[in-house]
Amino acid sequence: MNLSFERLQEEDIPSTREVFEETYSYEQTLKFLSEKQNIAFVAKLDDVVIGLIYGYELTCMDKERPQFLIYSVDIYDAYQDRGYGQQFVTFVVDWARENGYCESWVLTHKDNPRACKVYEKAGMTHSETDCERMYEVAYEELV
């Protein structure tokens, strides 16, 4: 089986419409992707979409380069617990580094051990509050 990841473009939506309509509105997905700062990726096993990550480019007043906020990580139920999520997050973190972002980050609840494990295996470090953890990779440190 061939696992691949790719950035989702507006022109890709018609060919994957049925996959996204189960979770997301077709029209809303098109609207989301029409905004330059909104970015989505799909994970495919052979040619079957098995997951989606989407997020936002954030311009900061105190940084020269933008950050990438991973807002949602979703591996469909039938494909969970096989390491695909960690590989997918690693792909997105590497993509952000290669595309000039200063860091990538994601928030999750600290009582979500599956998500925490995925982010840690993808090389992200965390800080936390009483109920949330923020995982991040600062790319200046990786150079």
Side-chain angles (χ1 to χ4, degrees):
M1 299 199 135
N2 182 30
L3 182 63
S4 63
F5 311 106
E6 58 191 57
R7 184 170 174 185
L8 188 63
Q9 305 292 335
E10 283 182 80
E11 59 270 12
D12 298 325
I13 296 300
S15 65
T16 56
R17 182 176 186 154
E18 65 283 349
V19 173
F20 293 107
E21 284 187 332
E22 292 179 19
T23 309
Y24 305 100
S25 153
Y26 175 73
E27 290 75 19
Q28 190 59 29
T29 302
L30 284 175
K31 183 178 177 183
F32 176 85
L33 290 174
S34 71
E35 300 291 332
K36 178 181 124 335
Q37 74 277 8
N38 299 342
I39 300 169
F41 301 90
V42 291
K44 292 182 178 179
L45 194 56
D46 294 325
D47 285 326
V48 176
V49 175
I50 66 164
L52 175 76
I53 291 178
Y54 72 90
Y56 306 95
E57 178 178 300
L58 302 174
T59 303
C60 303
M61 291 177 60
D62 62 339
K63 298 181 185 327
E64 291 182 27
R65 299 179 350 219
Q67 299 174 333
F68 186 69
L69 163 62
I70 300 171
Y71 185 79
S72 178
V73 177
D74 186 23
I75 297 293
Y76 301 138
D77 290 345
Y79 302 97
Q80 291 184 3
D81 298 319
R82 299 183 191 180
Y84 299 145
Q86 180 264 316
Q87 292 176 65
F88 197 12
V89 171
T90 298
F91 169 83
V92 171
V93 166
D94 290 345
W95 175 89
R97 179 186 310 109
E98 292 164 7
N99 283 276
Y101 292 85
C102 68
E103 65 185 352
S104 292
W105 57 280
V106 61
L107 290 174
T108 193
H109 289 278
K110 67 181 182 180
D111 61 353
N112 184 349
R114 289 175 79 188
C116 294
K117 185 176 176 181
V118 165
Y119 303 137
E120 289 166 10
K121 283 188 169 188
M124 301 179 95
T125 58
H126 74 272
S127 58
E128 62 186 67
T129 64
D130 288 340
C131 62
E132 289 185 321
R133 282 188 178 170
M134 182 177 88
Y135 284 87
E136 66 181 329
V137 173
Y139 299 123
E140 291 86 2
E141 297 171 9
L142 298 176
V143 176

